[in-house]
Amino acid sequence: MIVVLLILSVVAGVFLGKYFGQKEKFSKNLLILSAGFLITICLNEVFPEVYHHNSEFGINLGIFVIGGVLLQMILEALTKGFEHGHFHHHSESNILPMALMVGLFIHAFIEGIPLANEKNPFSPYLMGIVFHNLPISFILGAFLFNRKGSKVSYPSMLIVALFALASPFGMFLGNYFNPEWQPYFLAVVGGIFLHISSVIIFESNKNHNIDWSKIGLVIVGVSLALVMHLFHSHDHH
């Protein structure tokens, strides 16, 4: 069920991007909504879990959170900021499909590792990945299938397939890692989430004017994540 959700979130996003990719406002709104959701999941789910393990290991896991932020900055050298909607700022030739494929695969693979042993198909962390996959896949679909002269080709389909399978693959391999490593991977993913969501939320304010529609979308994303957090907490008690 979890694997199906992960793959569906990519396929649905790519499908939407293929047919609605010209609607830049729609993709921007989707990104902002997902950023509000992601940053809330980060602060309410990921970080408390990470710091809960701090005392057990006697090592500051915050270093791994910072490592996640730095890793994402390195990956963006490959993807050119694709994860937060930057593909239209570059001439497409700037993004080599190979570099894009490698960057997105590593990104999604690492996100999948903390899902090892996850039984709840509606866990907030999983929903964070699903919400995060949708806008990235939307942009991917628009980039691969909605440009002038672009057509459905084997390389394009391969990129989509690899991205869709990266998180399930990470989840599968995570089952074979030492369970004590999980908080470290979660901390790295926390850094990745934090970087992506904060860049989306903070960077696109033109002239630093108040953008009420953007604030509204962030609030909707935050509210969705908080509702999920409450349900999840309730189930655990």
Side-chain angles (χ1 to χ4, degrees):
M1 177 66 179
I2 290 173
V3 171
V4 172
L5 268 176
L6 288 169
I7 293 172
L8 267 181
S9 66
V10 172
V11 172
V14 167
F15 184 81
L16 285 169
K18 178 170 166 40
Y19 293 102
F20 302 101
Q22 299 300 340
K23 298 178 168 44
E24 197 175 306
K25 183 117 180 88
F26 180 75
S27 71
K28 265 274 180 268
N29 289 345
L30 199 58
L31 271 171
I32 294 163
L33 186 74
S34 77
F37 189 91
L38 208 55
I39 205 161
T40 309
I41 293 294
C42 219
L43 298 173
N44 271 344
E45 310 291 337
V46 177
F47 289 163
E49 180 71 20
V50 165
Y51 287 110
H52 169 69
H53 290 284
N54 241 7
S55 52
E56 291 176 35
F57 294 132
I59 180 170
N60 186 356
L61 287 172
I63 291 165
F64 289 86
V65 175
I66 294 161
V69 172
L70 294 173
L71 174 65
Q72 183 54 33
M73 289 170 80
I74 292 164
L75 289 177
E76 282 171 15
L78 295 172
T79 62
K80 306 292 182 196
F82 205 90
E83 300 87 339
H84 27 83
H86 276 190
F87 77 101
H88 46 78
H89 294 322
H90 308 274
S91 62
E92 271 91 356
S93 58
N94 257 2
I95 305 178
L96 294 170
M98 193 64 194
L100 179 64
M101 202 156 80
V102 170
L104 285 179
F105 183 86
I106 293 170
H107 172 100
F109 174 77
I110 293 169
E111 285 175 357
I113 295 171
L115 284 170
N117 307 313
E118 178 62 73
K119 301 290 184 284
N120 179 4
F122 299 103
S123 76
Y125 176 75
L126 174 63
M127 288 298 107
I129 294 178
V130 167
F131 264 77
H132 173 49
N133 275 351
L134 273 169
I136 295 181
S137 306
F138 182 94
I139 293 163
L140 191 62
F143 175 69
L144 293 174
F145 305 122
N146 207 334
R147 292 172 296 149
K148 285 192 183 101
S150 64
K151 56 187 184 294
V152 177
S153 63
Y154 284 119
S156 299
M157 295 305 288
L158 184 63
I159 290 176
V160 172
L162 278 172
F163 182 47
L165 294 172
S167 287
F169 185 50
M171 178 180 160
F172 173 72
L173 276 190
N175 287 313
Y176 297 96
F177 293 158
N178 184 334
E180 289 185 0
W181 296 356
Q182 281 290 24
Y184 296 99
F185 285 114
L186 196 59
V188 169
V189 175
I192 289 173
F193 278 3
L194 186 66
H195 178 74
I196 289 174
S197 52
S198 53
V199 165
I200 294 167
I201 290 169
F202 298 123
E203 78 168 353
S204 54
N205 261 12
K206 291 190 176 73
N207 309 321
H208 297 281
N209 292 335
I210 293 177
D211 183 342
W212 291 110
S213 66
K214 182 177 178 180
I215 292 168
L217 284 164
V218 171
I219 290 169
V220 172
V222 168
S223 305
L224 279 170
L226 285 175
V227 168
M228 197 157 282
H229 173 70
L230 290 172
F231 273 114
H232 192 240
S233 306
H234 187 262
D235 287 346
H236 273 279
H237 292 312

